[in-house]
Coordinates of all heavy atoms in Angstrom, one line a residue:
M1 N 122.7 70.8 -126.8 CA 121.8 70.4 -125.7 C 120.8 69.4 -126.2 O 120.3 69.5 -127.3 CB 121.1 71.7 -125.2 CG 120.1 71.4 -124.0 SD 119.6 72.9 -123.1 CE 121.1 73.2 -122.2
Q2 N 120.5 68.5 -125.3 CA 119.6 67.4 -125.7 C 118.1 67.8 -125.4 O 117.8 68.6 -124.5 CB 119.9 66.1 -124.9 CG 119.1 64.9 -125.3 CD 119.6 63.6 -124.6 OE1 120.5 63.7 -123.8 NE2 119.1 62.5 -125.0
L3 N 117.2 67.2 -126.2 CA 115.8 67.4 -125.9 C 115.2 66.2 -125.2 O 115.5 65.1 -125.6 CB 115.0 67.6 -127.3 CG 115.4 68.9 -128.0 CD1 114.6 68.9 -129.4 CD2 115.2 70.1 -127.2
F4 N 114.5 66.4 -124.2 CA 113.8 65.3 -123.5 C 112.3 65.4 -123.7 O 111.8 66.5 -123.7 CB 114.1 65.4 -122.0 CG 115.4 65.0 -121.5 CD1 115.9 65.3 -120.2 CD2 116.3 64.2 -122.3 CE1 117.1 64.9 -119.8 CE2 117.5 63.8 -121.9 CZ 118.0 64.2 -120.6
P5 N 111.6 64.3 -123.8 CA 110.2 64.3 -124.0 C 109.4 64.3 -122.6 O 109.5 63.4 -121.9 CB 109.9 63.0 -124.7 CG 111.0 62.1 -124.3 CD 112.2 62.9 -123.9
C6 N 108.7 65.4 -122.4 CA 107.8 65.4 -121.2 C 106.5 64.8 -121.7 O 106.0 65.2 -122.7 CB 107.5 66.8 -120.7 SG 106.2 66.9 -119.5
P7 N 105.9 63.8 -121.0 CA 104.7 63.2 -121.5 C 103.5 64.2 -121.5 O 102.5 63.9 -122.1 CB 104.4 62.0 -120.5 CG 105.6 62.0 -119.6 CD 106.4 63.2 -119.8
F8 N 103.6 65.3 -120.8 CA 102.5 66.3 -120.7 C 102.8 67.5 -121.7 O 101.8 68.1 -122.1 CB 102.4 66.8 -119.3 CG 102.1 65.6 -118.3 CD1 103.2 64.9 -117.7 CD2 100.8 65.2 -118.1 CE1 102.9 63.9 -116.8 CE2 100.6 64.1 -117.2 CZ 101.6 63.5 -116.6
C9 N 104.0 67.8 -121.9 CA 104.3 69.0 -122.7 C 105.0 68.8 -124.0 O 105.1 69.7 -124.8 CB 105.2 70.0 -121.9 SG 104.6 70.3 -120.2
G10 N 105.5 67.6 -124.2 CA 106.3 67.3 -125.5 C 107.7 67.5 -125.3 O 108.3 67.6 -124.2
L11 N 108.5 67.7 -126.4 CA 109.9 67.8 -126.4 C 110.3 69.2 -125.8 O 109.8 70.2 -126.2 CB 110.5 67.7 -127.8 CG 110.6 66.3 -128.4 CD1 111.0 66.3 -129.8 CD2 111.4 65.4 -127.5
R12 N 111.2 69.1 -124.9 CA 111.7 70.4 -124.2 C 113.2 70.2 -124.0 O 113.8 69.1 -123.9 CB 111.0 70.6 -122.9 CG 109.5 70.9 -123.0 CD 109.3 72.2 -123.7 NE 107.9 72.6 -123.5 CZ 106.9 72.3 -124.4 NH1 107.2 71.6 -125.5 NH2 105.7 72.7 -124.2
S13 N 113.9 71.3 -123.8 CA 115.3 71.4 -123.5 C 115.6 70.6 -122.2 O 114.9 70.8 -121.2 CB 115.8 72.8 -123.4 OG 117.1 72.9 -122.9
E14 N 116.7 69.9 -122.2 CA 117.1 69.1 -121.0 C 117.2 70.0 -119.7 O 117.1 69.5 -118.6 CB 118.3 68.3 -121.2 CG 119.6 69.1 -121.4 CD 120.8 68.3 -121.6 OE1 121.1 67.5 -120.8 OE2 121.5 68.4 -122.7
G15 N 117.5 71.2 -119.9 CA 117.7 72.1 -118.8 C 116.4 72.4 -118.0 O 116.5 72.9 -116.9
E16 N 115.3 72.0 -118.6 CA 114.0 72.2 -117.9 C 113.7 71.0 -117.0 O 112.6 71.0 -116.4 CB 112.9 72.3 -118.9 CG 113.0 73.6 -119.7 CD 111.8 73.8 -120.7 OE1 110.8 73.0 -120.6 OE2 111.8 74.7 -121.5
F17 N 114.5 70.0 -117.0 CA 114.2 68.7 -116.3 C 115.2 68.5 -115.1 O 116.3 69.0 -115.1 CB 114.4 67.5 -117.2 CG 113.4 67.5 -118.3 CD1 113.5 68.3 -119.5 CD2 112.2 66.7 -118.2 CE1 112.6 68.3 -120.5 CE2 111.3 66.7 -119.2 CZ 111.4 67.5 -120.3
H18 N 114.7 67.8 -114.1 CA 115.5 67.5 -112.9 C 115.4 66.0 -112.6 O 114.3 65.5 -112.6 CB 115.0 68.3 -111.7 CG 115.7 68.0 -110.5 ND1 116.9 68.6 -110.2 CD2 115.4 67.3 -109.4 CE1 117.3 68.2 -109.0 NE2 116.4 67.4 -108.5
F19 N 116.6 65.4 -112.5 CA 116.6 64.0 -112.2 C 116.2 63.8 -110.7 O 116.6 64.5 -109.8 CB 118.1 63.4 -112.3 CG 118.3 62.0 -111.8 CD1 117.9 60.9 -112.6 CD2 118.8 61.8 -110.5 CE1 118.1 59.6 -112.1 CE2 119.0 60.5 -110.1 CZ 118.6 59.4 -110.8
A20 N 115.3 62.9 -110.4 CA 114.8 62.7 -109.1 C 115.4 61.4 -108.4 O 115.9 61.5 -107.3 CB 113.3 62.6 -109.1
A21 N 115.3 60.3 -109.2 CA 115.8 59.0 -108.6 C 115.8 57.9 -109.6 O 115.2 58.1 -110.6 CB 114.9 58.6 -107.4
E22 N 116.5 56.9 -109.3 CA 116.3 55.7 -110.1 C 114.9 55.1 -109.8 O 114.5 55.1 -108.7 CB 117.4 54.6 -109.7 CG 118.8 55.1 -110.2 CD 119.8 54.1 -109.7 OE1 119.6 53.3 -108.8 OE2 120.9 54.1 -110.4
A23 N 114.3 54.6 -110.8 CA 112.9 54.1 -110.7 C 113.0 52.7 -110.0 O 114.0 52.0 -110.2 CB 112.2 53.9 -112.0
G24 N 112.0 52.3 -109.2 CA 112.0 51.0 -108.6 C 112.3 50.9 -107.2 O 112.2 49.9 -106.6
K25 N 112.8 52.0 -106.6 CA 113.2 52.0 -105.2 C 111.8 52.1 -104.4 O 110.9 52.8 -104.8 CB 114.0 53.3 -104.8 CG 115.4 53.2 -105.2 CD 116.1 54.5 -104.8 CE 117.5 54.3 -104.4 NZ 118.1 55.6 -103.9
T26 N 111.8 51.4 -103.3 CA 110.6 51.4 -102.4 C 110.9 52.3 -101.2 O 111.8 52.0 -100.5 CB 110.2 50.0 -102.0 OG1 110.0 49.2 -103.2 CG2 109.0 50.1 -101.1
R27 N 110.2 53.4 -101.1 CA 110.4 54.3 -100.0 C 109.8 53.7 -98.7 O 108.7 53.2 -98.7 CB 109.7 55.6 -100.3 CG 109.9 56.7 -99.3 CD 109.1 57.9 -99.6 NE 109.4 59.1 -98.8 CZ 109.0 59.3 -97.5 NH1 108.2 58.4 -97.0 NH2 109.3 60.3 -96.9
P28 N 110.6 53.7 -97.6 CA 110.0 53.3 -96.4 C 108.8 54.1 -96.0 O 108.8 55.3 -96.3 CB 111.2 53.6 -95.4 CG 112.4 53.7 -96.2 CD 112.0 54.2 -97.5
V29 N 107.8 53.5 -95.4 CA 106.6 54.2 -95.1 C 106.9 55.4 -94.2 O 106.4 56.5 -94.4 CB 105.6 53.2 -94.4 CG1 104.3 54.0 -94.0 CG2 105.2 52.1 -95.4
T30 N 107.7 55.2 -93.2 CA 108.1 56.3 -92.3 C 109.5 56.2 -92.0 O 110.1 55.1 -92.1 CB 107.3 56.4 -91.0 OG1 107.7 55.2 -90.2 CG2 105.8 56.3 -91.2
T31 N 110.2 57.2 -91.5 CA 111.6 57.1 -91.2 C 111.7 56.3 -89.9 O 112.8 55.9 -89.6 CB 112.2 58.6 -90.9 OG1 111.4 59.2 -90.0 CG2 112.2 59.3 -92.2
R32 N 110.6 56.1 -89.2 CA 110.7 55.2 -88.0 C 110.9 53.7 -88.4 O 111.3 52.9 -87.5 CB 109.5 55.4 -87.1 CG 109.4 56.7 -86.5 CD 108.1 56.8 -85.6 NE 107.0 56.5 -86.4 CZ 106.0 57.4 -86.7 NH1 106.1 58.6 -86.2 NH2 105.0 57.1 -87.4
D33 N 110.6 53.4 -89.6 CA 110.7 52.0 -90.1 C 112.1 51.6 -90.3 O 112.4 50.4 -90.5 CB 109.9 51.8 -91.4 CG 108.4 52.0 -91.1 OD1 107.9 51.9 -90.0 OD2 107.7 52.3 -92.1
V34 N 113.0 52.5 -90.4 CA 114.4 52.2 -90.8 C 115.4 53.0 -89.9 O 115.0 54.0 -89.3 CB 114.7 52.6 -92.2 CG1 113.9 51.7 -93.2 CG2 114.5 54.0 -92.5
N35 N 116.6 52.5 -89.7 CA 117.6 53.3 -89.0 C 118.2 54.3 -89.9 O 117.9 54.4 -91.1 CB 118.6 52.3 -88.3 CG 119.4 51.6 -89.4 OD1 119.7 52.1 -90.4 ND2 119.7 50.3 -89.0
A36 N 119.0 55.1 -89.3 CA 119.6 56.2 -90.1 C 120.5 55.8 -91.3 O 120.4 56.4 -92.4 CB 120.5 57.1 -89.2
E37 N 121.2 54.7 -91.1 CA 122.0 54.1 -92.2 C 121.1 53.7 -93.3 O 121.4 53.9 -94.5 CB 122.8 53.0 -91.7 CG 123.9 52.5 -92.6 CD 124.8 51.4 -92.0 OE1 125.5 51.8 -91.0 OE2 124.8 50.3 -92.5
E38 N 120.0 53.0 -93.0 CA 119.1 52.5 -94.1 C 118.4 53.7 -94.8 O 118.2 53.6 -96.0 CB 118.1 51.6 -93.5 CG 118.7 50.2 -93.0 CD 117.7 49.4 -92.1 OE1 116.9 50.0 -91.4 OE2 117.8 48.2 -92.2
W39 N 118.1 54.7 -94.0 CA 117.4 55.9 -94.6 C 118.4 56.6 -95.6 O 118.0 57.0 -96.7 CB 116.9 56.8 -93.5 CG 116.2 58.0 -94.0 CD1 116.6 59.3 -93.9 CD2 115.0 58.1 -94.8 NE1 115.8 60.2 -94.5 CE2 114.7 59.5 -95.0 CE3 114.1 57.1 -95.2 CZ2 113.6 59.8 -95.7 CZ3 113.0 57.5 -95.9 CH2 112.7 58.9 -96.2
A40 N 119.6 56.7 -95.1 CA 120.6 57.4 -96.0 C 120.9 56.5 -97.3 O 121.0 57.1 -98.3 CB 122.0 57.5 -95.2
A41 N 120.9 55.2 -97.1 CA 121.0 54.4 -98.3 C 119.9 54.5 -99.3 O 120.1 54.6 -100.5 CB 121.1 52.9 -97.9
Y42 N 118.6 54.7 -98.7 CA 117.5 54.9 -99.6 C 117.6 56.2 -100.3 O 117.4 56.3 -101.5 CB 116.2 54.9 -98.8 CG 115.0 55.5 -99.6 CD1 114.4 54.7 -100.6 CD2 114.6 56.8 -99.3 CE1 113.4 55.3 -101.3 CE2 113.6 57.3 -100.1 CZ 113.0 56.6 -101.1 OH 112.0 57.1 -101.8
L43 N 118.1 57.3 -99.6 CA 118.2 58.6 -100.3 C 119.3 58.7 -101.3 O 119.2 59.3 -102.3 CB 118.4 59.6 -99.2 CG 117.2 59.9 -98.3 CD1 117.6 60.9 -97.2 CD2 116.0 60.4 -99.0
F44 N 120.5 58.1 -100.9 CA 121.7 58.4 -101.7 C 122.3 57.3 -102.5 O 123.0 57.6 -103.5 CB 122.7 59.0 -100.8 CG 122.3 60.2 -100.0 CD1 122.1 60.2 -98.6 CD2 121.9 61.4 -100.7 CE1 121.6 61.3 -97.9 CE2 121.5 62.5 -100.0 CZ 121.3 62.4 -98.6
D45 N 122.0 56.1 -102.2 CA 122.6 55.0 -103.0 C 121.9 54.9 -104.4 O 120.7 54.9 -104.5 CB 122.5 53.6 -102.2 CG 123.4 53.5 -101.0 OD1 124.2 54.5 -100.8 OD2 123.4 52.5 -100.3
Q46 N 122.8 54.8 -105.4 CA 122.3 54.6 -106.7 C 123.0 53.4 -107.4 O 124.2 53.2 -107.1 CB 122.6 55.9 -107.6 CG 122.0 57.2 -107.0 CD 120.5 57.3 -107.2 OE1 119.9 56.6 -108.1 NE2 119.9 58.0 -106.3
K47 N 122.3 52.7 -108.2 CA 123.0 51.6 -108.9 C 123.9 52.1 -110.0 O 124.9 51.4 -110.4 CB 121.9 50.6 -109.5 CG 121.1 49.9 -108.4 CD 120.1 49.0 -109.1 CE 119.2 48.3 -108.0 NZ 118.1 47.6 -108.6
N48 N 123.5 53.2 -110.7 CA 124.3 53.7 -111.8 C 124.6 52.7 -112.8 O 125.7 52.5 -113.3 CB 125.6 54.4 -111.3 CG 125.3 55.7 -110.5 OD1 124.4 56.4 -110.8 ND2 126.1 55.9 -109.5
E49 N 123.5 52.0 -113.2 CA 123.7 50.9 -114.2 C 124.1 51.4 -115.6 O 123.6 52.5 -116.0 CB 122.4 50.1 -114.3 CG 122.1 49.4 -113.0 CD 120.8 48.5 -113.1 OE1 121.0 47.3 -113.5 OE2 119.8 49.0 -112.7
K50 N 124.9 50.7 -116.3 CA 125.3 51.0 -117.6 C 124.4 50.4 -118.6 O 124.0 49.2 -118.5 CB 126.7 50.4 -117.8 CG 127.4 50.9 -119.0 CD 128.9 50.4 -119.0 CE 129.7 50.9 -120.2 NZ 131.0 50.4 -120.1
G51 N 123.9 51.2 -119.5 CA 122.9 50.7 -120.5 C 121.5 51.2 -120.2 O 121.3 52.3 -119.7
A52 N 120.5 50.4 -120.5 CA 119.1 50.8 -120.3 C 118.8 51.0 -118.9 O 119.1 50.1 -118.0 CB 118.2 49.7 -120.9
T53 N 118.2 52.1 -118.6 CA 117.9 52.5 -117.2 C 116.5 53.0 -117.2 O 115.9 53.5 -118.2 CB 118.8 53.5 -116.6 OG1 118.7 54.7 -117.3 CG2 120.2 53.0 -116.5
R54 N 115.8 53.0 -116.0 CA 114.5 53.6 -115.8 C 114.7 54.6 -114.6 O 115.2 54.2 -113.5 CB 113.5 52.6 -115.4 CG 113.0 51.8 -116.7 CD 112.1 50.6 -116.3 NE 111.1 50.9 -115.3 CZ 109.9 51.4 -115.5 NH1 109.5 51.7 -116.7 NH2 109.1 51.6 -114.5
E55 N 114.4 55.8 -114.8 CA 114.6 56.9 -113.8 C 113.4 57.8 -113.7 O 112.6 57.9 -114.6 CB 115.8 57.8 -114.3 CG 117.1 57.0 -114.5 CD 118.1 57.8 -115.3 OE1 117.7 58.6 -116.2 OE2 119.3 57.5 -115.1
V56 N 113.2 58.3 -112.5 CA 112.2 59.3 -112.2 C 112.7 60.7 -112.5 O 113.8 61.0 -112.0 CB 111.6 59.2 -110.8 CG1 110.5 60.2 -110.6 CG2 111.1 57.8 -110.5
W57 N 112.0 61.4 -113.3 CA 112.4 62.8 -113.7 C 111.3 63.7 -113.4 O 110.1 63.3 -113.4 CB 112.8 62.9 -115.1 CG 114.2 62.3 -115.5 CD1 114.5 61.0 -115.6 CD2 115.4 63.0 -115.7 NE1 115.8 60.8 -115.9 CE2 116.4 62.0 -116.0 CE3 115.7 64.3 -115.7 CZ2 117.7 62.4 -116.2 CZ3 117.0 64.7 -116.0 CH2 118.0 63.7 -116.2
T58 N 111.6 65.0 -113.2 CA 110.6 66.0 -113.0 C 110.8 67.1 -114.2 O 111.9 67.5 -114.4 CB 110.7 66.8 -111.7 OG1 110.6 65.8 -110.6 CG2 109.6 67.8 -111.5
H59 N 109.7 67.4 -114.8 CA 109.7 68.5 -115.8 C 109.3 69.8 -115.0 O 108.2 69.9 -114.5 CB 108.8 68.3 -117.0 CG 108.9 69.4 -118.0 ND1 107.8 69.8 -118.7 CD2 110.0 70.1 -118.4 CE1 108.2 70.8 -119.5 NE2 109.5 71.0 -119.4
L60 N 110.3 70.7 -114.7 CA 110.1 71.8 -113.8 C 109.0 72.7 -114.2 O 108.2 73.1 -113.3 CB 111.4 72.5 -113.6 CG 112.6 71.7 -113.1 CD1 113.9 72.4 -113.1 CD2 112.2 71.1 -111.7
P61 N 108.8 73.1 -115.5 CA 107.7 74.1 -115.8 C 106.3 73.5 -115.5 O 105.4 74.3 -115.1 CB 107.9 74.3 -117.3 CG 109.3 74.1 -117.5 CD 109.7 73.0 -116.6
C62 N 106.1 72.2 -115.7 CA 104.7 71.7 -115.4 C 104.7 70.9 -114.1 O 103.6 70.6 -113.6 CB 104.2 70.8 -116.5 SG 105.1 69.2 -116.7
A63 N 105.9 70.8 -113.5 CA 106.0 70.1 -112.1 C 105.5 68.7 -112.1 O 105.2 68.1 -111.1 CB 105.3 70.9 -111.0
E64 N 105.5 68.0 -113.3 CA 105.0 66.6 -113.4 C 106.3 65.7 -113.2 O 107.3 66.0 -113.8 CB 104.3 66.4 -114.7 CG 103.0 67.0 -114.8 CD 101.9 66.4 -114.0 OE1 102.1 65.3 -113.5 OE2 100.8 66.9 -114.0
M65 N 106.1 64.6 -112.5 CA 107.1 63.6 -112.4 C 106.7 62.4 -113.3 O 105.5 62.1 -113.4 CB 107.2 63.1 -110.9 CG 107.6 64.2 -110.0 SD 107.8 63.7 -108.3 CE 109.5 63.0 -108.4
F66 N 107.6 61.8 -113.9 CA 107.4 60.7 -114.8 C 108.6 59.8 -114.9 O 109.7 60.2 -114.4 CB 107.0 61.2 -116.2 CG 108.1 62.0 -116.9 CD1 109.0 61.4 -117.8 CD2 108.3 63.3 -116.6 CE1 110.0 62.1 -118.4 CE2 109.3 64.1 -117.2 CZ 110.1 63.5 -118.1
I67 N 108.4 58.6 -115.4 CA 109.6 57.7 -115.6 C 110.1 57.9 -117.0 O 109.3 57.9 -118.0 CB 109.2 56.3 -115.4 CG1 108.8 56.1 -113.9 CG2 110.3 55.3 -115.8 CD1 108.3 54.7 -113.5
M68 N 111.4 58.1 -117.1 CA 112.1 58.1 -118.4 C 113.0 56.9 -118.5 O 113.8 56.7 -117.7 CB 112.8 59.4 -118.6 CG 113.5 59.6 -120.0 SD 114.0 61.2 -120.5 CE 114.5 62.0 -119.1
S69 N 112.8 56.2 -119.6 CA 113.7 55.1 -119.9 C 114.8 55.6 -120.9 O 114.4 56.3 -121.9 CB 113.0 53.9 -120.5 OG 112.0 53.4 -119.7
R70 N 116.0 55.4 -120.5 CA 117.1 55.9 -121.4 C 118.3 55.0 -121.3 O 118.4 54.3 -120.4 CB 117.4 57.4 -121.2 CG 118.0 57.6 -119.8 CD 118.1 59.1 -119.6 NE 118.9 59.3 -118.3 CZ 120.1 59.7 -118.3 NH1 120.8 59.9 -119.4 NH2 120.8 59.8 -117.2
D71 N 119.2 55.2 -122.3 CA 120.4 54.4 -122.3 C 121.5 55.3 -121.7 O 121.7 56.4 -122.2 CB 120.8 54.1 -123.7 CG 122.0 53.1 -123.8 OD1 123.0 53.5 -123.2 OD2 121.9 52.1 -124.5
S72 N 122.1 54.9 -120.6 CA 123.0 55.7 -119.8 C 124.3 55.8 -120.5 O 125.2 56.7 -120.2 CB 123.2 55.2 -118.4 OG 123.8 53.9 -118.5
V73 N 124.6 55.1 -121.6 CA 125.8 55.2 -122.3 C 125.6 56.1 -123.5 O 126.4 57.0 -123.7 CB 126.3 53.8 -122.8 CG1 127.5 53.9 -123.7 CG2 126.5 52.8 -121.7
T74 N 124.6 55.9 -124.3 CA 124.4 56.8 -125.5 C 123.5 58.0 -125.2 O 123.5 58.9 -126.0 CB 123.7 55.9 -126.6 OG1 122.4 55.6 -126.1 CG2 124.5 54.7 -126.9
M75 N 122.9 58.0 -124.0 CA 121.9 59.1 -123.6 C 120.7 59.1 -124.5 O 119.9 60.0 -124.4 CB 122.6 60.5 -123.6 CG 123.8 60.6 -122.7 SD 123.4 60.1 -121.1 CE 124.9 60.4 -120.2
E76 N 120.5 58.1 -125.3 CA 119.2 58.0 -126.1 C 118.0 57.8 -125.2 O 118.1 56.9 -124.3 CB 119.3 56.8 -127.1 CG 118.1 56.6 -127.9 CD 118.1 55.4 -128.8 OE1 119.1 54.6 -128.7 OE2 117.1 55.2 -129.5
V77 N 117.0 58.6 -125.4 CA 115.8 58.4 -124.6 C 115.0 57.3 -125.3 O 114.7 57.3 -126.5 CB 114.9 59.7 -124.6 CG1 113.6 59.4 -123.9 CG2 115.7 60.8 -123.9
L78 N 114.6 56.2 -124.5 CA 113.9 55.1 -125.0 C 112.4 55.1 -124.9 O 111.7 54.4 -125.5 CB 114.5 53.8 -124.4 CG 116.0 53.6 -124.4 CD1 116.5 52.5 -123.6 CD2 116.4 53.4 -125.9
G79 N 112.0 56.0 -124.0 CA 110.5 56.2 -123.8 C 110.2 56.8 -122.5 O 111.1 57.1 -121.6
T80 N 109.0 57.2 -122.3 CA 108.5 57.8 -121.0 C 107.2 57.1 -120.6 O 106.5 56.5 -121.4 CB 108.3 59.3 -121.1 OG1 107.3 59.5 -122.1 CG2 109.5 60.1 -121.5
Q81 N 107.0 57.2 -119.3 CA 105.8 56.6 -118.7 C 105.3 57.6 -117.6 O 106.1 58.0 -116.7 CB 106.1 55.3 -118.1 CG 104.9 54.6 -117.4 CD 105.4 53.3 -116.8 OE1 106.5 52.8 -116.9 NE2 104.5 52.7 -116.0
T82 N 104.0 58.0 -117.7 CA 103.5 58.9 -116.7 C 103.3 58.2 -115.3 O 103.2 56.9 -115.3 CB 102.1 59.5 -117.1 OG1 101.2 58.4 -117.3 CG2 102.3 60.2 -118.4
L83 N 103.3 58.9 -114.3 CA 103.0 58.4 -112.9 C 101.5 58.6 -112.6 O 101.1 58.2 -111.5 CB 103.9 59.0 -111.9 CG 105.4 58.7 -112.1 CD1 106.2 59.4 -111.1 CD2 105.7 57.2 -112.0
R84 N 100.8 59.2 -113.5 CA 99.3 59.3 -113.3 C 98.7 59.3 -114.7 O 99.4 59.4 -115.7 CB 99.0 60.6 -112.6 CG 99.3 61.9 -113.3 CD 98.8 63.1 -112.6 NE 99.1 64.4 -113.3 CZ 98.3 64.9 -114.3 NH1 97.2 64.3 -114.7 NH2 98.7 66.0 -114.9
K85 N 97.4 59.2 -114.7 CA 96.7 59.2 -116.0 C 96.8 60.5 -116.7 O 96.7 61.6 -116.0 CB 95.2 58.8 -115.8 CG 95.0 57.4 -115.5 CD 93.5 57.1 -115.4 CE 93.3 55.6 -115.2 NZ 91.9 55.3 -115.1
L86 N 97.0 60.5 -118.0 CA 97.0 61.7 -118.8 C 95.6 62.3 -118.9 O 94.6 61.5 -118.9 CB 97.5 61.5 -120.2 CG 99.0 61.2 -120.3 CD1 99.4 60.7 -121.7 CD2 99.8 62.4 -120.0
P87 N 95.4 63.6 -118.9 CA 94.1 64.2 -119.0 C 93.5 63.8 -120.4 O 94.2 63.7 -121.4 CB 94.3 65.7 -119.0 CG 95.8 65.9 -118.8 CD 96.5 64.6 -118.8
A88 N 92.2 63.5 -120.4 CA 91.5 63.1 -121.6 C 91.3 64.2 -122.6 O 91.4 65.3 -122.3 CB 90.1 62.5 -121.2
Ligands
LIG1 ZN1 106.0 69.1 -118.8

């Protein structure tokens, strides 16, 4: 089992994490801004790029979401970035 770094808790077992989405997607402001096909594409279409990727993950015990950069081929974690400021 692989260890993933949570920016708030440190290294934890990958089973504690949940993939949320590829990073960089822009969510429509409301579902009224798009038709059903465009909304479904926003929710379900993924690029599934090979190599370096940026993804939004959630660490379930602390419920924090963050961006994890990793290589989709080797599964090496390249870094993390918080979506909010870390507590001082
Ligand atoms: Zn955490």
Side-chain angles (χ1 to χ4, degrees):
M1 181 165 286
Q2 187 172 6
L3 297 177
F4 284 165
C6 171
F8 301 91
C9 306
L11 285 175
R12 297 290 192 270
S13 170
E14 67 179 301
E16 295 183 8
F17 294 82
H18 179 76
F19 173 82
E22 291 177 336
K25 285 179 145 183
T26 303
R27 184 185 190 280
V29 176
T30 70
T31 55
R32 291 183 302 249
D33 296 336
V34 294
N35 63 35
E37 187 174 301
E38 292 168 326
W39 182 245
Y42 165 74
L43 291 176
F44 303 114
D45 287 358
Q46 304 287 336
K47 292 180 183 173
N48 291 324
E49 294 183 86
K50 191 173 184 178
T53 62
R54 287 173 38 88
E55 303 165 327
V56 179
W57 285 78
T58 303
H59 184 215
L60 300 174
C62 71
E64 291 284 354
M65 298 182 82
F66 63 96
I67 293 177
M68 181 160 38
S69 300
R70 64 187 190 104
D71 188 309
S72 64
V73 176
T74 65
M75 301 305 183
E76 177 186 5
V77 175
L78 306 172
T80 59
Q81 177 184 352
T82 62
L83 295 176
R84 65 174 180 86
K85 287 185 177 180
L86 288 170

